Amino acid sequence: KCWRCSTVAWSFPMHELERSDPIRPDLVRPERVRFGLIRPVTLLACLALAACGREAPQALGTLEWDRIALPAPVAERIVEVQVREGQAVKAGDVLLRLDPVRTRAQLEVARAQAQQSGQALAELQAGPRTEAISRARAELVAAQAQAKDASTYYARLQPLGRQQLVSAAMVDRARADADNAQAQVAAARQALLELEHGTRKEQLGQGEAALAGAQAHASDLEALLDKLEVAAPRDGRVDSLPYRLGDQAPIGAPLAVLLVGEAPHARIYVPEPLRARVKVGDTARVHVEGGRPADYAGRVRMIRSEPVFTPYYALTGRDAARLSYLAEVALEAEAAGLPAGLPVRVEFDGVP
């Protein structure tokens, strides 16, 4: 029996075909005549088996389409579903919408922070106010006056201290007050110079970075708000909608799965003996099983290098104990109307 076409060849023992009656030997003739008829049938069956064994190498698999999963950008409730499973969609068509209330509020906060950072940068760029510079000059004049008064008082106490007319503690206190007043003068002078020199470039850089970060955060939330309207990235057909109206899918969960592409492809498992003879670009004939079986032209577009064990539906004959390699055969546009999941058998042209 052939495992490809189920052709069966039967053989019969000679002793069953040449039985004779010891009383009437002429009964042997009909049995031998039947044996003579069986010989051509057996020969034809053997020829059929030999012809079947010369069929082109083949691999089994299923018909598939390229799939695109649209993940949930946020964990929000689905408030609107505009498509159904199996519906054809165009690029940009809205499939469903998520609740935008919380994301919109976060966007308003981010925009306010960006505006605040922009005003802070403008203040740094403008530099100190003229009133602040004038006040620093006045504080310097006041410090100089206090320093002059403290120095005069200390100079007056010094001869009195040498004559021991005042205590040494008073003289030391006057000297400390004079030194402190001189330090206040130096501090006021440096504060005035800082204001007159304006804002440092490092401060301007920090302000620009803070503004850029705030604006980027606001832009990120704007993009996230737009993603709450889940739209088709390209033309295709809705394969599945795992979540329904009112569901709240976790972040990253597929909200919709699309089948895209101009034609399907056959995902097959190439047996190990054929791996070295099949390469990307080879032509093949794809036989699609189903209600109306048909053959389609195809071309190998991908074949994996890592072997896998043959799946259960590709266990045919001796292939059950062999490794196989996942491959994809692209079909022409004439197969665009075929659904996914149909079993296929692929024969490779030109592969001995």
Side-chain angles (χ1 to χ4, degrees), residues 36-348:
L37 293 175
I38 290 176
R39 280 184 176 176
V41 176
T42 305
L43 180 59
L44 291 176
C46 293
L47 292 176
L49 290 176
C52 183
R54 291 193 298 269
E55 287 184 355
Q58 63 181 359
L60 303 180
T62 56
L63 195 67
E64 301 291 343
W65 286 80
D66 292 332
R67 297 173 182 267
I68 294 179
L70 304 179
V74 293
E76 294 292 351
R77 184 171 54 87
I78 298 176
V79 296
E80 185 179 357
V81 179
Q82 295 190 354
V83 294
R84 63 183 185 278
E85 294 181 351
Q87 178 178 339
V89 294
K90 297 292 184 179
D93 289 349
V94 177
L95 308 181
L96 49 86
R97 288 185 173 88
L98 303 179
D99 188 1
V101 174
R102 183 170 62 176
T103 305
R104 187 176 291 116
Q106 293 174 349
L107 176 60
E108 295 299 327
V109 172
R111 287 174 175 172
Q113 291 177 348
Q115 184 178 4
Q116 180 182 6
S117 299
Q119 296 299 326
L121 177 60
E123 182 181 2
L124 292 175
Q125 292 172 343
R129 298 171 61 92
T130 56
E131 295 83 353
I133 296 176
S134 300
R135 184 181 62 184
R137 289 173 179 171
E139 291 176 351
L140 176 59
V141 172
Q144 290 174 342
Q146 291 180 356
K148 182 177 180 182
D149 180 68
S151 298
T152 303
Y153 182 71
Y154 174 59
R156 188 180 302 115
L157 287 181
Q158 277 184 329
L160 297 178
R162 287 193 295 268
Q163 297 176 5
Q164 296 183 352
L165 296 178
V166 294
S167 64
M170 293 181 62
V171 176
D172 294 339
R173 189 180 304 111
R175 183 173 64 250
D177 292 341
D179 294 340
N180 183 49
Q182 292 297 330
Q184 293 294 331
V185 171
R189 183 177 292 111
Q190 296 301 322
L192 176 60
L193 291 176
E194 181 181 2
L195 294 176
E196 290 176 344
H197 290 164
T199 307
R200 297 180 59 178
K201 62 179 181 180
E202 293 82 0
Q203 292 176 320
L204 293 175
Q206 292 177 5
E208 292 173 353
L211 176 59
Q215 291 176 342
H217 182 53
S219 300
D220 179 55
L221 290 176
E222 289 177 357
L224 183 60
L225 185 62
D226 292 338
K227 288 183 178 180
L228 297 185
E229 289 189 349
V230 181
R234 53 186 294 191
D235 297 350
R237 185 176 301 275
V238 180
D239 181 53
S240 65
L241 297 171
Y243 296 92
R244 304 304 178 189
L245 183 65
D247 288 344
Q248 184 171 339
I251 297 177
L255 296 176
V257 179
L258 301 181
L259 301 180
V260 298
E262 297 182 357
H265 63 271
R267 178 176 296 175
I268 60 174
Y269 292 86
V270 179
E272 181 269 337
L274 296 180
R275 176 61 183 89
R277 293 176 285 171
V278 177
K279 61 183 181 298
V280 175
D282 288 350
T283 58
R285 295 191 308 275
V286 181
H287 180 77
V288 180
E289 305 289 347
R292 292 187 298 176
D295 291 337
Y296 298 90
R299 188 176 298 275
V300 179
R301 72 175 187 181
M302 182 276 291
I303 183 167
R304 295 281 176 84
S305 300
E306 300 82 6
V308 296
F309 287 102
T310 308
Y312 69 92
Y313 55 80
L315 300 182
T316 55
R318 297 179 180 178
D319 289 341
R322 296 174 179 171
L323 293 176
S324 60
Y325 297 81
L326 180 64
E328 292 181 357
V329 178
L331 277 67
E332 302 295 337
E334 59 182 355
L338 297 176
L342 295 178
V344 297
R345 185 178 72 252
V346 177
E347 296 182 355
F348 300 98

